[in-house]
Amino acid sequence: MSERFDGRRRQLMLAGAALTAGSLPLMARAADAVKVGLIVPMSGPFASTGRQIEAAVKLYQQKFGDSAGGRKVEILLKDDGGVSPDVTKRLAQELVARDKAQVLMGFGLTPLALAAAPIATQAKVPMIVTAAATSIIPQRSPYIVRTGFTLAQVTSPLASWAAKNGIKSVVTFVSDYGPGLDAEKVFVKTFGEAGGKVLESVRVPLRNPDYAPFLQRVKDARPEALFVFVPSGEGAAVLKQFTERGLGAAGIRLICTGDVLDDDLMAGIGAAARDVVSSHHYSAVHPSAANKEYVEAIARSNKGMRANFHSVGAYDGMHLLYESLKKTGGDSDGEKLLGAMKGMSWESVRGPVTIDAATRDIVQTVYMRKAELRGAEFYNVEFDKVERVRDPGV
Ligand code: PHB
């Protein structure tokens, strides 16, 4: 009884002191953190995506502090395991209803982002999609903003490059779900319009794939090149089978999106990556001072981990959140934050980026890269670029 009374008296005294100082609203606001529900796969087949995102978010807060616009930013990290939309949806629901999260962020794969979209709409909270990359995602909620990329965005420059560089026949090879179907569609259209011939379009299962029989089909079709998209985490297995099945030896050239030659996997892929041409929005050896510092900082605090594009999507997601909180003066109202995010531009470690005000999708440079040895390891070295690429829509 006396403890409760003491507690209440202390509260009143504190409130009185604050009122006298004229600072109660400020004190109350500072104490009231903006909670960010960060939902990513920290376990399961796509755990590398979660690790990369967590590392980037931690680095951002280490570097820029844990508050923005006078509000503390508190990250509530949840592992959704990466494979079940129901789990992601339940976590999003719990975060907004029970934990009072005012922002949702992360989303490692398309089906998981789509599952959470209605929660963002109902709760009126911004949902920053840092990884999932199917074109349609931002159309599923007016509260979605994307800081990663889209498969359509990075595939189209590669298809043009292939046609311009003497490749006449291609087989496409994609994981059979949203981003893969987008990549296939854009490749077939762009390459076809440029005069190239797509001999066959092979789709492989997302879950527990055995790439060998599908690659045998590719070998039998005898294309000049094989275009591949598989999500981050899967590339090493495809390259291993590509080599073991003798596709390279049969003179079939591999071209792919940067997801396949994911920086996080390059050490494991090794020499199988040599000379492979890919297109993407980020490479760990993107030549800028800011990127060099970023890659070194991620490696330093994560046992030598090489930063990949998922980490950069999350680092920029944090930038977008911090800058919008600064613009709203710490107001975390969903509509106000969204208003601040729309149209924002900044210099990312990947190069210049803008959030398109109408689509809430990212506009950015797409780079053509070739895998080469730098020191003891292979890296995706940029040799050409297309600037201000929008998602072409699929
Ligand atoms: C997706 O599911 O949208 C996704 C995941 C990983 C990638 C690309 C796309 O590397």
Side-chain angles (χ1 to χ4, degrees):
M1 148 87 186
S2 78
E3 223 174 74
R4 255 178 65 195
F5 176 75
D6 277 358
R8 174 99 188 105
R9 208 170 59 171
R10 237 198 19 245
Q11 262 181 17
L12 282 171
M13 278 167 55
L14 275 174
L19 268 178
T20 333
S23 59
L24 184 59
L26 248 184
M27 274 188 58
R29 267 209 325 200
D32 169 20
V34 180
K35 292 183 178 167
V36 179
L38 181 64
I39 311 179
V40 290
M42 296 301 297
S43 57
F46 304 103
S48 72
T49 300
R51 270 202 319 274
Q52 288 273 347
I53 292 175
E54 185 189 23
V57 168
K58 280 198 172 144
L59 176 63
Y60 193 91
Q61 291 207 303
Q62 248 171 42
K63 205 165 159 175
F64 298 101
D66 63 0
S67 57
R71 295 280 297 277
K72 199 164 156 34
V73 176
E74 188 185 336
I75 306 292
L76 307 174
L77 177 70
K78 301 286 173 187
D79 171 17
D80 66 5
V83 290
S84 166
D86 288 346
V87 172
T88 308
K89 186 170 185 178
R90 178 176 52 75
L91 289 172
Q93 205 141 26
E94 286 172 6
L95 278 163
V96 296
R98 191 190 61 200
D99 304 322
K100 308 289 175 227
Q102 287 151 309
V103 176
L104 292 173
M105 187 164 142
F107 306 100
L109 288 102
T110 290
L112 313 177
L114 295 179
I119 308 293
T121 307
Q122 283 156 25
K124 300 190 184 341
V125 298
M127 172 169 157
I128 305 175
V129 174
T130 72
T134 300
S135 289
I136 193 131
I137 291 172
Q139 293 172 41
R140 291 297 178 88
S141 168
Y143 288 87
I144 292 179
V145 178
R146 174 155 41 203
T147 56
F149 73 112
T150 80
L151 261 304
Q153 187 177 47
V154 298
T155 298
S156 146
L158 179 65
S160 304
W161 177 88
K164 269 194 220 125
N165 284 271
I167 296 175
K168 293 192 178 61
S169 63
V170 166
V171 168
T172 63
F173 182 101
V174 302
S175 295
D176 190 4
Y177 78 120
L181 303 184
D182 281 3
E184 177 192 288
K185 200 164 175 185
V186 169
F187 194 95
V188 168
K189 182 170 185 282
T190 314
F191 189 61
E193 281 172 4
K197 195 159 182 217
V198 175
L199 304 180
E200 205 177 326
S201 287
V202 177
R203 297 176 181 176
V204 293
L206 175 64
R207 298 231 182 134
N208 308 315
D210 174 8
Y211 297 115
F214 296 99
L215 286 168
Q216 187 59 47
R217 252 172 75 191
V218 175
K219 195 176 174 191
D220 295 343
R222 300 170 157 271
E224 284 178 28
L226 174 65
F227 164 69
V228 178
F229 161 76
V230 290
S232 175
E234 287 294 314
V238 175
L239 272 133
K240 187 164 180 284
Q241 287 298 326
F242 182 88
T243 310
E244 280 180 8
R245 295 257 137 195
L247 276 80
I252 300 172
R253 181 170 184 184
L254 180 70
I255 56 175
C256 57
T257 65
D259 311 78
V260 181
L261 296 187
D262 175 355
D263 274 302
D264 201 9
L265 295 181
M266 283 298 268
I269 293 174
R274 189 188 301 280
D275 292 340
V276 173
V277 168
S278 60
S279 59
H280 229 207
H281 55 296
Y282 178 70
S283 164
V285 287
H286 174 64
S288 74
N291 185 50
K292 189 162 186 287
E293 191 189 318
Y294 177 73
V295 171
E296 283 169 5
I298 290 282
R300 222 175 12 252
S301 33
N302 298 278
K303 301 190 182 120
M305 181 170 84
R306 197 197 290 185
N308 78 358
F309 61 100
H310 283 317
S311 83
V312 172
Y315 198 70
D316 283 332
M318 289 296 282
H319 176 87
L320 181 68
L321 174 62
Y322 270 47
E323 291 307 308
S324 10
L325 275 168
K326 286 183 199 166
K327 266 190 172 176
T328 64
D331 193 337
S332 53
D333 170 77
E335 298 290 346
K336 289 187 185 146
L337 279 182
L338 254 130
M341 289 175 182
K342 289 178 186 173
M344 197 182 280
S345 293
W346 67 97
E347 188 66 30
S348 160
V349 296
R350 65 182 107 171
V353 299
T354 296
I355 300 298
D356 183 278
T359 62
R360 290 165 276 105
D361 221 335
I362 191 157
V363 182
Q364 59 189 331
T365 306
V366 175
Y367 304 89
M368 296 300 309
R369 313 101 47 89
K370 190 174 192 184
E372 289 170 9
L373 260 185
R374 284 274 174 103
E377 284 184 16
F378 282 89
Y379 281 88
N380 298 301
V381 179
E382 296 166 0
F383 64 85
D384 202 359
K385 63 181 175 185
V386 186
E387 290 175 332
R388 288 181 289 277
V389 182
R390 292 169 182 280
D391 174 58
V394 191

